[in-house]
Structures are given as structure tokens and as C-alpha cells.
Amino acid sequence: MRLLTFSTLILFSLIIILHSSSTTKAHNITRILAKHPAFSTYNHYLSVTHLADEINRRRTITVLAIDNAGMQSLLDKHLSISTLKNVLSLHILVDYFGAIKLHKITNGTTLVSSVFQATGAAAGTAGYVNITNLKGGKVGFGAEDNDGSLHSFYVKSIDEVSYDISVLQISQPLSSADAEAPTSAPSAINLISIMSKQGCKAFADLLRVSKALSTFEENIDGGLTVFCPTDSAVNDFTPKYKNLTDAKKVSLLLYHGIPVYESLQMLKSGNGVVNTLATEGANKYDLTVQNNGEDVKVQTKVVTASIVGTLIDQDPFVAYKINKVLLPRELFKVSEMAPAESPKGSSGSKKKKSSSGNKKGKEESSSSSSSDAPADGPSADDEEADDQKAADHNIGAKEGVTFIIFFFTFFIGILLL
Ligand SMILES: *[C@@H]1O[C@H](CO)[C@@H](O)[C@H](O)[C@H]1NC(C)=O
Ligand SMILES: *[C@@H]1O[C@H](CO)[C@@H](O)[C@H](O)[C@H]1NC(C)=O
Ligand SMILES: *[C@@H]1O[C@H](CO)[C@@H](O)[C@H](O)[C@H]1NC(C)=O
Ligand SMILES: *[C@@H]1O[C@H](CO)[C@@H](O)[C@H](O)[C@H]1NC(C)=O
């Protein structure tokens, strides 16, 4: 009898552990810092610069928070918002350092990549932060381009969710000449050179000699998102491109731009039809953004491309690398590229918030979007997405079963006692 009760208890604890491990919630840095008024200025600027979205999107991240006095010293430098974004992004480390790990760094010193480094805005090693364990339990921080001087120190842990997010207060902002360098006004961004350097040379070469380039450039100030196909995708497509008339070539290139800034977080948080730079009149040359958890796909009626990387994200301009050339139905037959995919129920199709005013907000039902938008055959990406969907279902089912076992065990336990 006693043995039974004992094993029931063990089963009980196992179930509780199993259940709690399967439900990790996404963090929200705005909400975390809202509980700490001493960091309200920092919190405010994380939102203004869209870095809050970047933090919420990432896992295994450390936020080095600066209190209001420290932020005032930074604001006194009268940096532009895009420069301030660079400085603050240096304070977001793409690795997890809780207070304990921070004081036990292997060999006492390490270089950690920051979001400043990860977004490609930093030159050389300027986006790395040196963390060093010092005498008397102190921990020093310094930007790597700052002659190795460790001028900011760990103060306290504000919030930690193990191996997800750690928010630590440091004594003063990390200073970095590179992060504080005036960022070029968006209109001066050299679209062609950025794309060429970041692995989109073939597409940039097409754009360089096209009339479409000026339309891209005119839109940078007001907000511009560019989908840049990889070199191999463009090279495969070249024979077809050469076959197009000049006007159609321009339309095809313009089809790869959206006249509004769409951060990755914005793309991930909603599905919908968007206008492109080639759009004139209703329903012409539009694209469908379709996210599936962490994956973002860009669909035309002819082809489905996946976002495979970010070239630059400097609000109001962002460029993503995609794995296929976007083929508009206005120029290519739906059947031309590949056989139609069998209709597949896609869940979670929600209307995108039309804050930008650019979205048509046309909500496509899952059935119509899959039947009239045949993709280019089931790709590895699609299969991956399905696996993910299946995994999500499994978690749901597991939770249901867990609850039933939980109550059943509870009942038996009470009977036995
Ligand atoms: C995070 O929290 C803030 C404040 O509570 C809220 O306005 C915002 O929508 C939240 N963001 C997400 C992605 O849930
Ligand atoms: C620590 O130092 C040793 C000896 O200098 C070196 O071999 C090792 O790679 C270092 N470990 C790290 C994580 O830097
Ligand atoms: C970090 O800075 C300290 C002090 O300048 C230096 O001694 C150390 O080597 C640096 N650590 C790394 C990993 O570069
Ligand atoms: C180019 O266009 C012609 C005529 O429309 C067509 O027959 C040919 O297959 C096209 N070539 C390519 C590579 O698409």
C-alpha cells in the first residue's frame, strides 16, 4: 500500500516536470522592463528602434540594460535614431549569460557577438563585446573596438529565464566608436554595393543596369523592403530573364521590392497580400507573405520562396535574401515552372495588421490560397514546415494526455491515501 502511494507520488512529480517543460512561453522584453521604472528610458528606446522585436524573436539572448541616468548620458550625445539603434544593439548579446555563468567564464574572458554584429552593421570585430572576470568578483564589459578597455561593470541581474533570456544591469553604456559613427542617411545607402557584398551580387548586377534601380532608391526614405534572390537562383533564371522584353525585365525587378519597411518580426507576425514596387492598379503584381512559425515564405501564384537571411536591417530599409526568384503570374504561366502542389490545409492564416496602410488586408482563406496558388512542388522547406506543424500537434496532444494522466493519478493517489 505504502509502496503504491510512493510510486504514485513519483509518477506525479514526473508528470509535473514533463508538463512544465513542454510549455515555455515567449518572452517580451517590453513587459519585463516595464516592472522596473529605473529602466524606462532604455525600454522606450528598445521599442522606438524596433530592437524589442529583435529581442523577442530571439532565443538564448542577454540584454545589457542601462538605467535612466546612463541612458541620459547616451542621449546627451544627440545621436540619430539609426545610430542609437546601433549603439543599443551592441548591448544585446546573442548568447545566454545568467549571473552565474557570467562569473564563471572559461579562462576568465570571452568575446561575445552582439546584435550589432549579427545584423551586419558593424565593421570587422566592432560588434563583439569583451566580457572579463576581474578581481573581487567584478565583471567588466567593453566593446572590442574600444582598445580592450573594460569601462562598464556588472551591477545586478534584473530577470532571467534559464537559457532563454537574461536581463543584466551594467554600470554605464558600452562605448564604441564604430557603433556611434554617424550612420549614413538611408537615402545615401548604396543598395547595389550592400547587396553585392552580402551574397546577392547577381541580382544587384541586374538592378545596376536597369531603369528599376531609381524606383528602389526613391523608396528608401519612406520605407523599403527588398527580397534579393541568391546568386544561384538568379543564375538559373538568367536564360528566362534574357527572354523578357525590357519593360517586363523592369517589372520583374520591381516585383522584388515592397514600398514599406517590414522587419522580420513584422513578417513573422502576420500573413497577407502585399503590394510591390511593380504594383499598379488592384491585384497586379502582388505577393503573399506566409509565415509558419519561424519560417517566412514569399509566395506568388507561380513560385514559393523562403527567406534565408537578412542582408541589412536599418529601419526604414531592410533587405532579405530569398532562395528563389519571385515570378509574377503577370509574366509567367502558373504551370510553366512546376507541377501544381496538391492542396494542403494551411493553418494560422491570420490577417496582417494594416498599420502601414499598404497591406490590402485581404484575408485569403486557407483553401483558396492553396488551390489557386500552386507552388513549385513540395520542397525540402515545405516538408520541414510540415514536420514543424506535426511537432506542434504532438505537443498539443501530449499536453492533453498529460492532463488526463495527471487527474487519473491524483484520483488513485487520494483513494490509496
Ligand atoms: C509586449 O508587451 C507590450 C506591453 O505589455 C505590448 O504592448 C506588446 O504588444 C507585447 N509584444 C508582444 C510581441 O507580445
Ligand atoms: C582556454 O585557454 C586554453 C589555454 O590557453 C585554450 O587552449 C582554450 O582554447 C581556452 N578556452 C576557451 C574557451 O577560450
Ligand atoms: C578582453 O579585454 C581584456 C582587457 O583588455 C584582455 O586582456 C582580454 O584578452 C580580452 N579578451 C578577449 C577574449 O579578447
Ligand atoms: C523564350 O521565348 C520563346 C518564345 O516565347 C520560347 O519559345 C522559349 O522557350 C523561351 N526561352 C526560355 C529560356 O524561356
Side-chain angles (χ1 to χ4, degrees), residues 28 30-31 56 265:
N28 180 333
T30 312
R31 206 173 296 147
N56 295 343
Q265 185 58 36

Side-chain angles (χ1 to χ4, degrees), residues 208-226:
R208 190 200 310 271
V209 296
S210 168
K211 281 197 205 120
L213 179 60
S214 59
T215 309
F216 277 86
E217 286 172 341
E218 283 158 17
N219 275 280
I220 292 179
D221 278 339
L224 176 66
T225 302
V226 177

Side-chain angles (χ1 to χ4, degrees), residues 46 56 76 100 165 227-228 235 293 326 335 380 389 415:
L46 285 185
N56 295 343
D76 286 345
I100 293 171
I165 183 169
F227 296 110
C228 190
N235 291 339
L326 298 173
S335 59
K389 232 183 270 173
L415 276 186

Side-chain angles (χ1 to χ4, degrees), residues 48-333:
V48 168
T49 55
H50 298 290
L51 285 170
D53 298 332
E54 187 70 31
I55 294 168
N56 295 343
R57 178 175 89 69
R58 288 176 181 266
R59 297 286 162 269
T60 322
I61 196 157
T62 301
V63 178
L64 303 176
I66 307 157
D67 66 7
N68 294 344
M71 276 305 289
Q72 194 52 52
S73 71
L74 198 54
L75 295 174
D76 286 345
K77 295 182 178 179
H78 302 291
L79 307 170
S80 71
I81 283 292
S82 48
T83 303
L84 189 62
K85 181 174 185 173
N86 284 347
V87 174
L88 293 182
S89 62
L90 183 65
H91 291 72
I92 305 163
L93 310 180
V94 296
D95 195 359
Y96 180 84
F97 285 92
I100 293 171
K101 185 178 168 194
L102 193 67
H103 287 90
K104 279 201 287 193
I105 291 168
T106 318
N107 292 351
T109 184
T110 188
L111 283 183
V112 187
S113 178
S114 69
V115 165
F116 183 45
Q117 179 73 27
T119 52
T125 58
Y128 287 92
V129 173
N130 177 327
I131 307 179
T132 300
N133 291 159
L134 303 167
K135 254 189 272 176
K138 269 179 115 176
V139 182
F141 294 82
E144 177 62 1
D145 71 333
N146 196 36
D147 303 331
S149 111
L150 306 167
H151 56 93
S152 187
F153 303 96
Y154 168 74
V155 177
K156 64 171 192 280
S157 169
I158 297 171
D159 206 337
E160 290 180 22
V161 179
S162 252
Y163 293 95
D164 179 24
I165 183 169
S166 167
V167 186
L168 308 173
Q169 182 185 358
I170 56 170
S171 61
Q172 57 171 314
L174 301 175
S175 81
S176 153
D178 198 65
E180 286 168 36
T183 44
S184 45
S187 58
I189 286 174
N190 190 334
L191 208 70
I192 299 296
S193 97
I194 289 171
M195 288 183 183
S196 303
K197 279 192 214 140
Q198 305 279 347
C200 274
K201 187 164 185 318
F203 185 78
D205 286 345
L206 296 182
L207 198 55
R208 190 200 310 271
V209 296
S210 168
K211 281 197 205 120
L213 179 60
S214 59
T215 309
F216 277 86
E217 286 172 341
E218 283 158 17
N219 275 280
I220 292 179
D221 278 339
L224 176 66
T225 302
V226 177
F227 296 110
C228 190
T230 56
D231 287 355
S232 64
V234 174
N235 291 339
D236 290 348
F237 175 68
T238 302
K240 285 206 163 60
Y241 182 76
K242 289 205 173 124
N243 220 9
L244 296 172
T245 64
D246 281 352
K248 285 179 176 175
K249 280 179 185 155
V250 170
S251 295
L252 181 105
L253 294 177
L254 291 177
Y255 193 53
H256 287 75
I258 304 179
V260 65
Y261 170 80
E262 294 270 8
S263 72
L264 200 54
Q265 185 58 36
M266 289 156 90
L267 292 174
K268 280 179 183 172
S269 61
N271 297 322
V273 178
V274 294
N275 282 335
T276 67
L277 296 176
T279 299
E280 40 179 317
N283 306 327
K284 282 278 171 63
Y285 288 102
D286 52 18
L287 290 172
T288 302
V289 173
Q290 192 80 39
N291 66 62
N292 192 334
E294 282 294 288
D295 282 342
V296 179
K297 295 198 193 313
V298 186
Q299 296 179 331
T300 81
K301 303 281 184 211
V302 188
V303 72
T304 298
S306 294
I307 292 184
V308 294
T310 302
L311 303 182
I312 179 178
D313 181 355
Q314 205 173 93
D315 193 359
F317 171 59
V318 59
Y320 302 105
K321 195 188 278 193
I322 54 173
N323 62 351
K324 281 172 199 157
V325 174
L326 298 173
L327 306 174
R329 67 167 186 273
E330 287 79 3
L331 299 182
F332 297 90
K333 281 198 216 82

